[in-house]
Amino acid sequence: DALTNYMSALGYPNTEEGSNFDKYWPASLHVVGKDILRFHAVYWPAFLMAADLPLPKRIFAHGWWTKDGEKISKSLGNVIDPVDLVETYGVDPTRFFLMSEGIFGNDGD
């Protein structure tokens, strides 16, 4: 399952001192999209508790980037290429726009 990739990417089940799992687990902040919050805030902690592994210290769900009120999606074909934004407006204006229009936790249009 996709959730177990978090652990296997760190070399689990190798939990020896000095291993990547030892250094980086548990996450101090687990950031997920709001549409998958249930899986990461309910099921994932249950799996970890069943395996007697420490839980992430905090979970935060971010909103979606939207365009004209619709979630940006490859399948809808309304994707905005950030490289194009940077080439057109520059790095700092693009960063400013993304940070000012995308209040953390809410959707940004």
Side-chain angles (χ1 to χ4, degrees), residues 53-101:
L53 292 169
L55 306 177
K57 294 174 177 33
R58 183 176 305 164
I59 301 173
F60 196 94
H62 62 77
W64 293 322
W65 283 106
T66 59
K67 181 179 179 189
D68 301 325
E70 287 190 297
K71 180 180 175 185
I72 291 178
S73 160
K74 289 184 284 186
S75 59
L76 291 175
N78 63 353
V79 175
I80 299 169
D81 188 343
V83 173
D84 291 343
L85 290 175
V86 169
E87 287 175 355
T88 302
Y89 302 105
V91 173
D92 287 336
T94 301
R95 285 182 184 147
F96 178 80
F97 172 76
L98 293 174
M99 295 299 107
S100 64
E101 294 299 317

